[in-house]
Amino acid sequence: MKPGPLASRSIDRIPPNTDERVFYDKYVANRTPVIIQGFLDDTEFKAYKWKDMAYLKNVAGDAQVMVEPLAEASNQYGTGVTRTLMPFKQFLELLESEAGPYPYLTTQYENVNDDNQVASMFPPPTLALRRDFPVKPRLMGRLVLDQVNLWIGRSSEGSSSGLHHDFHDNLYCLLQGRKRFVLYPPSLTKHLYPHGDVDTVHPNGLISYQHLPVRADGLTHVDAAEDHVAIAKAKLDAANRRRAKSDLLLVLKKEYKNARKAWLTAGGVSSEMHGSQGSHDDADAILKDLEMMERRSKVDREGKVIGSKIDAGSFYSPADDAWGGVSTNDDLPSLSPDPSSFSRIQTAYLHAHLNLPTTATAPSAVTVAYPNLDKAGQPYVIDLHEGEMLYLPASWWHEVTSTSVSAPHMAFNYWFHPPDALGEKDFDEPYRDKLLWHHLRKKARKLASSAMRERARESGANRVDHSFKKRRLKRRATAMG
């Protein structure tokens, strides 16, 4: 049985000046999508300038970007096709040409070195455009930024992303064009045929897969444990610099040892810690020193130095995470090399099932029925218009049909780490692992500052180069005259 009238399901529409605490309590903490009827009210938000292609070419034209071709078989994007590297300016010129089909600018995961944390947060071309948007939008409160992205394409008839979900809370700003979203909550995952084998759906909705389990805040256990090692090491280094008493040093070294043990248990590889042999040698020295100190100190069974008020075991353990499994195993074969977070439901089938207009075509080689899709019931189908934003909590399934009007369709989005301290509805502390997230929030601020400095250096170099070229041309003109 097909769903009933699509108009019967809708989501709230709110003004952009909504109080951030109200926004958090009503939508973020309740994991509920909402449309914001306007752009961010932060004074730094100037992304609307990007609708001017000349401006984009001038500011970010030299950035190297990966672009995705339209898959001929399905007439959609996001289908595991090979992407092409080119200058951003060249990509924009392709969109301005008369002949299609046109490539699509999407996430730049293939175009960023994982060791370059600034580029991971601000992938090309967003680093070059860094002055035009706030890193910490007022509306999003205390959520920690993971990444920003720019999405640009051209399709007068509408092109589809395919049904998929993200791993972060998404604030999606539609700068130009139209977008139709088909939305399903994470609770319906078992009816939506993901490519990956689901390990669990966390209480905050985040979907974790068996091949790479993640915590409810989106971090892998090994990454979280490694950050706790870094935190413990920083505390120990600070105590050594101020020549703290030996009992405190003993406690901090035990804390470091415990954090390192948790990291190794989570799957950390000692020789790869922080990417340097020096860090490994440093850890060995700390642990050897700790062993000597323990011989000289009387330590009680609870891991506390007698006379000290500091708990040596005060670090977050991966075992603290609540896990509950859901099964999505079935006999349907995988139809394409899409990521785990993409659905195997063909877009053409989904649109036909929902009685939606479509330009997607079903692959002729394989036609599969999806009997469980009926059990998912009726999705939210919403139209997002130019100048509006959509807040979408992590792991909400969405299929997006993008349509150009008189110019390429364009969107800018923020991905934030999903909050997992939802029972408390604590605006100021949205993450359970408070120590780690204080550390990561500070780290994110440093990365944002580094991005601004890097952008300023690039701008200065470009100005110097431009000035040099002008002087050189002037000398040539004088010589010729």
Side-chain angles (χ1 to χ4, degrees):
M1 180 181 296
K2 293 186 178 181
L6 296 174
S8 63
R9 299 203 79 179
S10 62
I11 65 176
D12 290 352
R13 291 177 175 265
I14 62 174
N17 63 350
T18 298
D19 179 81
E20 57 267 34
R21 291 179 181 270
V22 172
F23 182 81
Y24 181 84
D25 287 345
K26 190 169 184 180
Y27 301 107
V28 178
N30 287 322
R31 316 310 288 150
T32 302
V34 62
I35 291 175
I36 300 100
Q37 295 177 298
F39 289 141
L40 293 169
D41 59 3
D42 303 76
T43 56
E44 307 99 307
F45 189 83
K46 300 171 185 145
Y48 49 81
K49 297 196 298 186
W50 303 347
K51 294 190 291 183
D52 181 351
M53 290 291 204
Y55 177 82
L56 283 180
K57 291 176 188 176
N58 181 52
V59 176
D62 293 335
Q64 294 290 315
V65 297
M66 297 290 292
V67 299
E68 188 174 295
L70 186 71
E72 293 182 6
S74 60
N75 197 37
Q76 70 179 68
Y77 297 98
T79 53
V81 293
T82 302
R83 305 204 293 177
T84 303
L85 182 68
M86 66 177 62
F88 185 47
K89 180 179 180 180
Q90 181 182 345
F91 164 71
L92 294 176
E93 289 170 347
L94 287 174
L95 294 185
E96 292 175 316
S97 65
E98 293 298 326
Y102 301 97
Y104 185 42
L105 179 70
T106 176
T107 54
Q108 297 294 298
Y109 57 87
E110 295 173 333
N111 192 23
V112 173
N113 184 339
D114 288 339
D115 294 331
N116 187 341
Q117 294 180 326
V118 171
S120 292
M121 183 175 283
F122 305 102
T126 63
L127 180 59
L129 299 164
R130 171 63 193 84
R131 292 181 180 275
D132 293 339
F133 58 90
V135 170
K136 186 178 178 294
R138 177 199 61 80
L139 189 64
M140 301 309 293
R142 297 277 290 167
L143 299 190
V144 176
L145 178 67
D146 177 73
Q147 190 180 79
V148 297
N149 294 283
L150 183 60
W151 314 75
I152 309 178
R154 180 176 172 182
S155 174
S156 58
E157 297 178 347
S159 56
S160 173
S161 65
L163 184 62
H164 66 286
H165 73 82
D166 303 322
F167 294 89
H168 298 85
D169 280 26
N170 189 352
L171 183 64
Y172 192 89
C173 315
L174 185 53
L175 304 173
Q176 195 162 257
R178 294 196 307 267
K179 303 266 183 175
R180 184 189 68 204
F181 285 77
V182 175
L183 305 177
Y184 290 97
S187 59
L188 298 177
T189 295
K190 60 185 177 182
H191 304 311
L192 299 177
Y193 300 91
H195 277 276
D197 293 320
V198 175
D199 183 66
T200 189
V201 177
H202 287 289
N204 65 348
L206 184 67
I207 301 170
S208 174
Y209 289 91
Q210 292 178 12
H211 75 283
L212 187 65
V214 293
R215 309 185 331 168
D217 57 9
L219 299 178
T220 65
H221 291 293
V222 68
D223 284 346
E226 182 170 341
D227 280 317
H228 274 289
V229 173
I231 293 167
K233 179 67 164 55
K235 289 168 64 177
L236 179 58
D237 288 346
N240 278 321
R241 284 195 299 270
R242 65 175 184 267
R243 298 183 179 181
K245 293 181 180 181
S246 59
D247 61 344
L248 175 59
L249 290 176
L250 176 60
V251 168
L252 293 178
K253 286 181 179 180
K254 283 184 67 68
E255 186 173 320
Y256 174 80
K257 178 182 179 180
N258 290 338
R260 188 175 171 81
K261 181 180 178 181
W263 171 69
L264 291 170
T265 301
V269 181
S270 182
S271 62
E272 295 179 359
M273 176 64 116
H274 306 308
S276 69
Q277 182 63 38
S279 297
H280 176 52
D281 295 339
D282 194 26
D284 287 342
I286 292 172
L287 297 178
K288 186 177 292 186
D289 190 31
L290 171 62
E291 186 177 339
M292 294 178 63
M293 291 180 71
E294 284 180 324
R295 291 173 184 171
R296 297 194 298 265
S297 301
K298 185 177 180 181
V299 182
D300 72 5
R301 294 179 182 178
E302 295 180 358
K304 298 177 182 177
V305 178
I306 292 179
S308 172
K309 295 182 179 180
I310 302 176
D311 187 349
S314 58
F315 67 94
Y316 187 87
S317 168
D320 291 340
D321 277 332
W323 289 76
V326 297
S327 175
T328 58
N329 293 331
D330 51 57
D331 297 327
L332 286 176
S334 178
L335 300 178
S336 73
D338 282 328
S340 296
S341 55
F342 270 71
S343 170
R344 283 176 274 173
I345 300 173
Q346 300 163 10
T347 301
Y349 184 98
L350 177 68
H351 287 173
H353 177 78
L354 299 174
N355 295 315
L356 291 172
T358 187
T359 59
T361 56
S364 57
V366 182
T367 301
V368 180
Y370 305 94
N372 286 343
L373 183 56
D374 276 337
K375 299 177 184 178
Q378 182 175 285
Y380 296 88
V381 179
I382 64 168
D383 290 311
L384 196 68
H385 301 284
E386 182 175 322
E388 294 182 327
M389 301 186 296
L390 172 67
Y391 165 68
L392 194 64
S395 291
W396 269 71
W397 290 88
H398 51 288
E399 181 274 326
V400 188
T401 298
S402 303
T403 306
S404 305
V405 182
S406 58
H409 54 80
M410 183 185 306
F412 172 69
N413 90 297
Y414 294 85
W415 274 332
F416 297 93
H417 292 278
D420 61 339
L422 301 178
E424 298 85 355
K425 282 196 174 182
D426 188 344
F427 173 85
D428 293 312
E429 296 288 355
Y431 303 101
R432 289 177 56 215
D433 193 347
K434 295 179 182 179
L435 181 64
L436 182 143
W437 283 102
H438 287 173
H439 167 74
L440 293 182
R441 185 174 285 112
K442 186 182 297 184
K443 186 176 178 180
R445 284 198 298 265
K446 288 181 179 179
L447 288 175
S449 297
S450 297
M452 287 299 285
R453 289 194 297 271
E454 187 171 329
R455 175 62 188 139
R457 283 196 299 270
E458 290 179 357
S459 298
N462 289 340
R463 284 195 297 270
V464 170
D465 183 57
H466 182 64
S467 177
F468 173 76
K469 288 179 179 179
K470 286 180 67 177
R471 290 197 302 271
R472 185 173 60 184
L473 290 172
K474 186 176 181 180
R475 285 197 301 270
R476 285 182 180 177
T478 302
M480 292 175 65

